[in-house]
Amino acid sequence: MGNAFGLTDTADLRAALAGGATLPADWYSDPTILRLEQDRIFARAWQYAGRADQVAEPGDYFTSFAGHVPVIVVRDRSAELRAFVNVCRHRGHLVADGAGNRKSLQCPYHAWTYALDGSLKKAPRSEREPGFDRGGFSLLPVAVDTWGPLVFVSPDPEAGPLLEALGPLPGLVAESGLDLGLLRFRERTEWEIASNWKIAIENYLECYHCPVAHPGFSKVIDVDPDAYELRAEGLVSSQFGTPKASAKGNGKAPYDPTGVIAQAQYHLFWPNVTVNIDPGPGNMSVDVTRPAGPERSAGFTDWFYYEDVPDETVRQMMEFGTQVGREDAALVESVQRGLASGMVPHGRLLISSEHLIQHFQRLVYEALAS
Ligand code: FES
Ligand SMILES: [Fe+2]
């Protein structure tokens, strides 16, 4: 195998990962690694973009990102769901912004106008241009599909079926007792963190840090390794947590498992989408963490609840989740500073508690070596 990274002998690295070593520290700040990740991970993988309810009617659209790739998702006039790279074929301005309903998509720079099927309809003054062929400048297509209330996109139009990529995830979520059809969107929260995207995902993938770093969470979920289950299959890494007996029936909203959900489920869908279901009433939150630079990430969380969940319960559950998120942000920003020093070139995983990180790092390695 060729050395794609110019950093480490790739065969040695594969063996090191199998032995419990982490990825090299400089992979968390090197712009060359980020460019490889953009090409080989984010330009290929299915990623959550937004909600199906935003594109329910013909003409509805919303804009989003798949990693670094700006995308637009649209319901065209024949009610077909489509997605495109949201970059004008003229000189690269973003074609659309935000969300709404439109008859066509007009770039705000020089007014090139695209139909909802992506074809270029109008380019002012192009009739003065001998040989200009509008047919050659359609918006670039992006793969799009839905799972329950969620719209996923892949910048690779040849990406296989979403359902195949999701693998065990729909079945696991169904086992939780959650009915995706009953979920209603409540709110989106957005954030930025001063860490490489992989540090944030790796932090998500273990609860070894929970007793130390999440005192509130550890009070209600049994984070003992014998009770807290980790499972990886294909592109999905899952964690299952059971509420402590002491948390049951105490009347406090966060994680009081008297609702339809008895067990917590925390799933990573490779590479950067996490799906969280907490004990309690019907709920699900979906996070996307994408690189905003080698040492920065940008993300958002979409919060869904059953319609009959009272606002006060929603507020308490969101506040509880947000507090855990604040604790995690401090951890990953500290790891970024530590790794960026370059003084500790590899970490060492404890496989019994951190094998989901090993699985994730193997996927990163395989993607970059491909
Ligand atoms: S860049 Fe879009 S019309 Fe010129
Ligand atoms: Fe955490």
Side-chain angles (χ1 to χ4, degrees):
M1 184 188 307
N3 187 335
F5 323 114
L7 291 169
T8 313
D9 182 278
T10 53
D12 285 357
L13 180 53
R14 172 182 282 169
L17 292 176
T22 63
L23 291 172
D26 50 11
W27 283 32
Y28 297 82
S29 53
D30 184 341
T32 309
I33 291 293
L34 177 58
R35 271 196 297 278
L36 283 170
E37 290 169 345
Q38 288 173 336
D39 284 359
R40 299 179 185 187
I41 298 175
F42 293 100
R44 297 178 183 181
W46 284 105
Q47 290 150 78
Y48 174 59
R51 291 132 41 208
D53 68 63
Q54 293 177 285
V55 281
E57 301 297 330
D60 285 354
Y61 78 95
F62 67 80
T63 56
S64 187
F65 283 89
H68 57 297
V69 180
V71 296
I72 175 165
V73 176
V74 57
R75 180 77 60 185
D76 76 10
R77 288 181 151 185
S78 53
E80 191 177 332
L81 191 61
R82 295 177 181 269
F84 306 101
V85 176
N86 184 21
V87 176
C88 185
R89 296 294 307 277
H90 175 217
R91 276 176 41 222
H93 198 286
L94 300 193
V95 176
D97 187 30
N101 186 284
R102 297 246 189 105
K103 289 197 161 46
S104 60
L105 303 167
Q106 186 175 75
C107 177
Y109 200 174
H110 313 91
W112 281 29
T113 304
Y114 302 87
L116 300 181
D117 66 2
S119 57
L120 179 62
K121 285 292 164 223
K122 217 178 85 204
R125 304 186 197 172
S126 62
E127 65 285 353
R128 297 168 176 241
E129 212 64 27
F132 182 84
D133 174 16
R134 279 203 318 262
F137 298 99
S138 298
L139 292 175
L140 300 173
V142 159
V144 61
D145 206 348
T146 59
W147 171 46
L150 313 179
V151 176
F152 287 77
V153 294
S154 165
D156 177 4
E158 304 300 319
L162 172 66
L163 200 62
E164 214 165 88
L166 289 171
L169 189 53
L172 292 170
V173 168
E175 278 169 30
S176 77
L178 189 70
D179 181 346
L180 290 181
L182 296 177
L183 289 171
R184 299 288 176 270
F185 173 73
R186 291 291 177 105
E187 203 173 313
R188 171 173 291 196
T189 46
E190 299 184 77
W191 74 84
E192 280 206 29
I193 39 175
S195 95
N196 181 274
W197 71 280
K198 299 189 294 298
I199 296 177
I201 298 297
E202 291 165 7
N203 174 71
Y204 179 88
L205 287 173
E206 49 92 358
C207 209
Y208 183 26
H209 69 274
C210 294
V212 194
H214 300 310
F217 177 83
S218 302
K219 216 175 269 177
V220 290
I221 296 287
D222 190 347
V223 297
D224 186 89
D226 291 325
Y228 193 89
E229 193 194 344
L230 310 175
R231 222 188 290 168
E233 183 183 339
L235 304 180
V236 177
S237 293
S238 304
Q239 301 168 72
F240 304 89
T242 305
K244 287 183 169 173
S246 56
K248 288 183 184 163
N250 68 4
K252 293 209 176 88
Y255 304 0
D256 183 16
T258 54
V260 290
I261 313 293
Q263 200 190 31
Q265 294 192 351
Y266 306 117
H267 306 281
L268 170 70
F269 175 51
W270 163 265
N272 67 335
V273 180
T274 60
V275 175
N276 313 285
I277 301 167
D278 286 315
N283 76 91
M284 181 171 81
S285 62
V286 182
D287 320 288
V288 176
T289 304
R290 57 189 192 85
E295 302 192 11
R296 284 200 78 78
S297 305
F300 67 83
T301 304
D302 278 355
W303 305 83
F304 298 84
Y305 295 85
Y306 284 5
E307 202 156 16
D308 62 358
V309 182
D311 288 347
E312 179 56 17
T313 308
V314 168
R315 194 192 60 74
Q316 286 182 42
M317 292 184 77
M318 281 181 59
E319 175 48 34
F320 194 79
T322 303
Q323 173 56 28
V324 174
R326 279 192 286 266
E327 291 160 1
D328 282 324
L331 299 173
V332 301
E333 292 187 348
S334 177
V335 171
Q336 181 68 50
R337 292 191 289 273
L339 293 182
S341 75
M343 297 305 286
V344 177
H346 287 275
R348 169 62 153 89
L349 298 173
L350 299 194
I351 301 304
S352 61
S353 296
E354 297 175 304
H355 61 90
L356 298 184
I357 296 179
Q358 189 180 42
H359 182 75
F360 170 77
Q361 295 195 344
R362 198 177 290 136
L363 289 174
V364 172
Y365 165 81
E366 297 294 349
L368 267 55
S370 66

mmCIF file of all heavy atoms in Angstrom, residues 88 90-93 107 109-112, ligand 1:
data_model
loop_
_atom_site.group_PDB
_atom_site.id
_atom_site.type_symbol
_atom_site.label_atom_id
_atom_site.label_comp_id
_atom_site.label_asym_id
_atom_site.label_seq_id
_atom_site.Cartn_x
_atom_site.Cartn_y
_atom_site.Cartn_z
ATOM 1 N N CYS A 88 -23.103 27.684 -7.552
ATOM 2 C CA CYS A 88 -23.462 28.111 -8.903
ATOM 3 C C CYS A 88 -22.408 27.651 -9.909
ATOM 4 O O CYS A 88 -21.200 27.782 -9.659
ATOM 5 C CB CYS A 88 -23.616 29.625 -8.935
ATOM 6 S SG CYS A 88 -24.198 30.242 -10.514
ATOM 7 N N HIS A 90 -21.762 29.091 -12.589
ATOM 8 C CA HIS A 90 -21.120 30.234 -13.246
ATOM 9 C C HIS A 90 -19.767 30.513 -12.600
ATOM 10 O O HIS A 90 -18.731 30.159 -13.146
ATOM 11 C CB HIS A 90 -22.037 31.474 -13.187
ATOM 12 C CG HIS A 90 -21.403 32.711 -13.743
ATOM 13 N ND1 HIS A 90 -21.605 33.950 -13.194
ATOM 14 C CD2 HIS A 90 -20.572 32.886 -14.796
ATOM 15 C CE1 HIS A 90 -20.913 34.850 -13.889
ATOM 16 N NE2 HIS A 90 -20.277 34.225 -14.874
ATOM 17 N N ARG A 91 -19.789 31.058 -11.374
ATOM 18 C CA ARG A 91 -18.499 31.365 -10.746
ATOM 19 C C ARG A 91 -18.477 31.044 -9.274
ATOM 20 O O ARG A 91 -17.628 31.532 -8.527
ATOM 21 C CB ARG A 91 -18.094 32.814 -11.016
ATOM 22 C CG ARG A 91 -17.391 32.938 -12.382
ATOM 23 C CD ARG A 91 -17.032 34.347 -12.775
ATOM 24 N NE ARG A 91 -16.514 35.140 -11.696
ATOM 25 C CZ ARG A 91 -16.843 36.414 -11.465
ATOM 26 N NH1 ARG A 91 -17.687 37.035 -12.277
ATOM 27 N NH2 ARG A 91 -16.337 37.068 -10.452
ATOM 28 N N GLY A 92 -19.448 30.200 -8.844
ATOM 29 C CA GLY A 92 -19.268 29.604 -7.524
ATOM 30 C C GLY A 92 -19.981 30.243 -6.356
ATOM 31 O O GLY A 92 -19.782 29.804 -5.221
ATOM 32 N N HIS A 93 -20.787 31.258 -6.591
ATOM 33 C CA HIS A 93 -21.577 31.793 -5.474
ATOM 34 C C HIS A 93 -22.538 30.713 -4.990
ATOM 35 O O HIS A 93 -22.990 29.880 -5.770
ATOM 36 C CB HIS A 93 -22.360 33.021 -5.968
ATOM 37 C CG HIS A 93 -22.876 33.912 -4.876
ATOM 38 N ND1 HIS A 93 -23.945 33.581 -4.089
ATOM 39 C CD2 HIS A 93 -22.444 35.134 -4.442
ATOM 40 C CE1 HIS A 93 -24.175 34.565 -3.228
ATOM 41 N NE2 HIS A 93 -23.266 35.516 -3.409
ATOM 42 N N CYS A 107 -29.422 32.367 -8.597
ATOM 43 C CA CYS A 107 -28.193 32.774 -7.919
ATOM 44 C C CYS A 107 -28.191 34.286 -7.744
ATOM 45 O O CYS A 107 -28.463 35.045 -8.684
ATOM 46 C CB CYS A 107 -26.982 32.334 -8.739
ATOM 47 S SG CYS A 107 -25.420 32.867 -8.026
ATOM 48 N N TYR A 109 -25.808 36.343 -7.497
ATOM 49 C CA TYR A 109 -24.637 37.086 -7.983
ATOM 50 C C TYR A 109 -24.906 37.675 -9.372
ATOM 51 O O TYR A 109 -24.870 38.891 -9.541
ATOM 52 C CB TYR A 109 -23.438 36.128 -7.997
ATOM 53 C CG TYR A 109 -22.063 36.777 -8.004
ATOM 54 C CD1 TYR A 109 -20.923 35.974 -7.885
ATOM 55 C CD2 TYR A 109 -21.879 38.157 -8.129
ATOM 56 C CE1 TYR A 109 -19.650 36.525 -7.888
ATOM 57 C CE2 TYR A 109 -20.610 38.710 -8.145
ATOM 58 C CZ TYR A 109 -19.489 37.890 -8.023
ATOM 59 O OH TYR A 109 -18.226 38.431 -8.023
ATOM 60 N N HIS A 110 -25.213 36.820 -10.391
ATOM 61 C CA HIS A 110 -25.490 37.331 -11.744
ATOM 62 C C HIS A 110 -26.805 36.790 -12.297
ATOM 63 O O HIS A 110 -27.039 36.817 -13.495
ATOM 64 C CB HIS A 110 -24.356 36.967 -12.693
ATOM 65 C CG HIS A 110 -22.981 37.236 -12.165
ATOM 66 N ND1 HIS A 110 -22.249 36.281 -11.472
ATOM 67 C CD2 HIS A 110 -22.217 38.362 -12.187
ATOM 68 C CE1 HIS A 110 -21.090 36.794 -11.104
ATOM 69 N NE2 HIS A 110 -21.037 38.061 -11.508
ATOM 70 N N ALA A 111 -27.617 36.206 -11.393
ATOM 71 C CA ALA A 111 -28.983 35.793 -11.745
ATOM 72 C C ALA A 111 -29.065 34.592 -12.685
ATOM 73 O O ALA A 111 -30.035 34.460 -13.419
ATOM 74 C CB ALA A 111 -29.796 36.965 -12.277
ATOM 75 N N TRP A 112 -28.068 33.751 -12.685
ATOM 76 C CA TRP A 112 -28.296 32.468 -13.355
ATOM 77 C C TRP A 112 -29.441 31.781 -12.597
ATOM 78 O O TRP A 112 -29.451 31.766 -11.348
ATOM 79 C CB TRP A 112 -27.039 31.587 -13.325
ATOM 80 C CG TRP A 112 -26.004 31.972 -14.353
ATOM 81 C CD1 TRP A 112 -25.786 33.224 -14.868
ATOM 82 C CD2 TRP A 112 -25.045 31.099 -14.969
ATOM 83 N NE1 TRP A 112 -24.744 33.183 -15.760
ATOM 84 C CE2 TRP A 112 -24.269 31.896 -15.853
ATOM 85 C CE3 TRP A 112 -24.752 29.739 -14.878
ATOM 86 C CZ2 TRP A 112 -23.242 31.350 -16.628
ATOM 87 C CZ3 TRP A 112 -23.719 29.197 -15.643
ATOM 88 C CH2 TRP A 112 -22.976 30.007 -16.507
HETATM 89 S S1 FES B 1 -21.900 33.056 -9.673
HETATM 90 FE FE1 FES B 1 -23.971 32.547 -9.847
HETATM 91 S S2 FES B 1 -24.693 33.788 -11.406
HETATM 92 FE FE2 FES B 1 -22.623 34.296 -11.290
#
